[in-house]
Amino acid sequence: MSATAKKSSQTRKTLQLVLIAVAALVLAGNFVVKSLGDDVAPAEGAQGSALAALDTLKVQDAAPEDGYDRESDFGSAWQDVDDNGCDTRNDMLQRDLDDFVLTEGDSCEVASGTLDDPYTGETIEFERGENSGDVQIDHVVALMNAWTTGAAEWDKDKRVSIANDPLNLVASDGPANMGKGAKDASEWLPENQAYRCEYVARQIAVKAKYELWVTPAEHAAMEDVLTSCPAETLPAS
C-alpha cells in the first residue's frame, strides 16, 4: 500500500471514530436531558400569584346540578346591588368599553362604545338596539359552575352577590360567551390565547373569594395554563 493510500485509510478511520464519539455524546446528552425533565417539579407560584392561590382551593368532584334555577337562585339580571343608581350590566359596560356614550338624558344606560374583546381579541363596536347582544356580560365563573362547586349551599344574598360582583364579570363577545355557557376551564378557554392567563387568574380569584372548590380536571387545566405565566397575579376587582 502506498504512503498516500495508507494516510487516506488512517484519515477515514479517524473520522469514523470521531463520528462514533459524537453520536455517543448526543445519545448521552439526550438521556441526561430526559432524566432531568422527568425530575423537574411543576412550576410554583410566588406569594400572591394565581398559581399559589390555586393550591389553596379545595379539589373535589362537582355536585349535582339538581335544583339549579338562574333567577330564583341567583336573582334576576341585572340588579343595582351597589346602590349607585345603575344596574350591573351598565356598570360593566362603562368599565370595559372604550369611548362609551350614554343615552341622552340617562346617567347610566350605555348607548354605544368600543370593546377590545378579551375572549376573541377582536374589536367590537357596541350599539344599543337590535344588536345589543353583540356584547354580553359574562360570568367568568359561570353561575351553574358556582352552583355545582359550593353555591348550592349558600343563602340567596350570597348568590346574588357573586352574580353581580365585578370580579366575576367581564364584557365579552356575545357568541363567545354563548359558546362558553357553563363550562369550566377544563372545557373552555378563550380563543385569544394572550388572555388565558388573566382569565384563569380571575376564575381563581372568584373561587378563592367565595370559597368555591375546583374539580380535578378544572384544577389540572388551570395549572397547565398558569405554568406558562407563574407570576400572574390575582385581580382585585
Side-chain angles (χ1 to χ4, degrees):
M1 180 183 291
S2 67
T4 300
K6 183 181 293 186
K7 184 175 180 181
S8 177
S9 176
Q10 290 175 339
T11 300
R12 284 197 300 273
K13 288 180 179 179
T14 300
L15 180 58
Q16 288 173 347
L17 289 173
V18 168
L19 291 175
I20 291 171
V22 169
L25 287 172
V26 169
L27 288 173
N30 287 341
F31 175 78
V32 170
V33 169
K34 184 179 186 303
S35 298
L36 288 174
D38 291 342
D39 294 335
V40 172
E44 293 185 4
Q47 185 176 2
S49 69
L51 190 56
L54 175 61
D55 287 337
T56 69
L57 300 181
K58 183 188 294 184
V59 181
Q60 66 184 60
D61 292 336
E65 298 175 1
D66 301 350
Y68 170 79
D69 182 89
R70 197 289 186 212
E71 186 163 334
S72 64
D73 293 324
F74 291 88
S76 59
W78 296 91
Q79 301 187 28
D80 178 17
V81 295
D82 58 3
D83 295 322
N84 70 345
C86 301
D87 64 55
T88 303
R89 175 175 167 80
N90 281 293
D91 281 340
M92 294 303 96
L93 290 175
Q94 290 188 36
R95 185 194 69 179
D96 293 347
L97 267 58
D98 294 324
D99 303 321
F100 69 84
V101 176
L102 297 177
T103 299
E104 186 175 357
D106 194 307
S107 61
C108 289
E109 187 178 82
V110 176
S112 63
T114 302
L115 176 67
D116 183 9
D117 177 45
Y119 287 176
T120 64
E122 301 294 328
T123 299
I124 302 173
E125 296 300 331
F126 169 76
E127 186 171 346
R128 182 170 296 280
E130 61 180 350
N131 295 321
S132 289
D134 289 351
V135 173
Q136 298 180 11
I137 307 301
D138 179 42
H139 289 98
V140 180
V141 172
L143 300 184
M144 172 72 84
N145 177 271
W147 178 264
T148 60
T149 59
E153 304 301 321
W154 298 351
D155 61 32
K156 178 71 172 288
D157 288 344
K158 188 172 181 180
R159 294 192 199 116
V160 170
S161 179
I162 194 174
N164 292 273
D165 188 341
L167 180 64
N168 192 34
L169 299 171
V170 62
S172 65
D173 173 72
N177 179 38
M178 298 298 290
K180 172 192 170 183
K183 299 179 180 73
D184 66 26
S186 70
E187 303 166 309
W188 188 91
L189 290 168
E191 175 187 336
N192 180 16
Q193 295 192 20
Y195 186 69
R196 288 183 177 180
C197 287
E198 186 176 342
Y199 173 77
V200 167
R202 185 169 289 273
Q203 286 190 323
I204 292 170
V206 172
K207 295 222 164 190
K209 178 177 179 178
Y210 288 92
E211 299 181 320
L212 295 168
W213 70 76
V214 291
T215 67
E218 189 179 10
H219 184 283
M222 288 175 161
E223 185 175 60
D224 184 58
V225 169
L226 293 174
T227 51
S228 67
C229 48
E232 183 74 33
T233 57
L234 291 175
S237 62

